[in-house]
Amino acid sequence: MFSALRHRTAALALGVCFILPAQARAPHPGEFASEQARHIATYFPGRMTGTPAEMLSADYLHQQFTRMGYQSDIRKFNSRYTWTARNNQQNWQNVTGSTVIAAHEGKRPQQIIIMAHLDTYAPRSDADTDHNLGGLNLQGIDDNAAGLGVMLELAEQLKTVPTEYGIRFVATSGEEEGSLGAENVLKRMSEKEKKNTLLVINLNNLIVGDHLYFNSGKRTPASVRKLTRDRALAIARNLGINANMNPGKNPDYPQGTGCCSDAEVFDNAGIPVLSVEATNWLLGKKDGSQQRAKSKAFPEGVSRHDIKLDNIQYIDQALPGRIDRRSREVVRIMLPLVRELAKAGKK
């Protein structure tokens, strides 16, 4: 009998036998993703876990998936995080988050999860508030409306495509407070469902970083890395898109692997992971406040959660065309990759 690992590898390997052209069916790949990202950032700023803006954005995503014809629902979860006052006293903050899940059924029980978090950064201390980190005015176009936009375009393109394996589109909340929503999703999965999850693709921070990265989980087997991360990089090369993987300068994260965000929850559980991100951030810094090199948009040492920086107007000015171009690049790479892995047929 196959072990869970051998089963995942064999199942994914079958998918790459059916390679489709590396192009989206839409006339302008990434256009829908960019439009959706801008809409979410503009109309639902301050999407902090448990706030009205977060609930409204979850409802919007649910409506979009339903319009596309998916079975979709919103799952509530209760959790908490700590708040640090000026006197360094810590108190628990209780929150009720909203996770949106849409299902594309396949012929077989195995599934691929495509995930992006919908929440924006919530201040965790008085110091955060003093430095304008998070809050009601944070648009979060980079973190993480753009990830949601790409996820929605992938769902739009795949809605009528038959696949061997199921695809779950998951918009989590509570990522900014320590991946609370992702932990809840994993907790609700049965052991059988975990074994049948071939891959979790996490879309996060796709815009501001100067370099587009595809990284596997630290525990993702080499055989699965080849079919996922390495295949994504090959598609990028064929399309003339500059994409890389972690060069491995941080000893805690070997070449081609990454950390943090919602992906780490599934990596720790032994489920294969592919993280898609654009970064200048120092690997291993979970708060994202440090940078490996100065970016054109975010000066060295600043936080990506600053409300003056992570908004459409500023990024369009500092990085003209970046939102639309990066959305297009990620969609052009991810659509053929997901088709291959899910063993997609023709519309």
Side-chain angles (χ1 to χ4, degrees), residues 115-189:
M115 183 170 59
H117 74 87
L118 64 85
D119 60 308
T120 53
Y121 186 76
R124 304 284 295 277
S125 66
D126 285 327
D128 279 356
T129 302
D130 292 342
H131 289 89
N132 295 316
L133 303 185
L136 296 174
N137 295 318
L138 179 61
Q139 285 192 342
I141 181 67
D142 177 58
D143 190 18
N144 185 38
L148 295 172
V150 169
M151 182 173 67
L152 285 172
E153 177 154 345
L154 294 177
E156 175 72 20
Q157 292 294 327
L158 294 166
K159 64 184 180 183
T160 60
V161 176
T163 58
E164 288 294 312
Y165 308 126
I167 303 173
R168 294 291 185 272
F169 298 96
V170 181
T172 62
S173 187
E175 189 271 348
E176 299 292 0
E177 291 78 34
S179 298
L180 304 179
E183 289 180 351
N184 183 262
V185 170
L186 181 66
K187 182 179 179 181
R188 293 190 184 200
M189 294 172 67

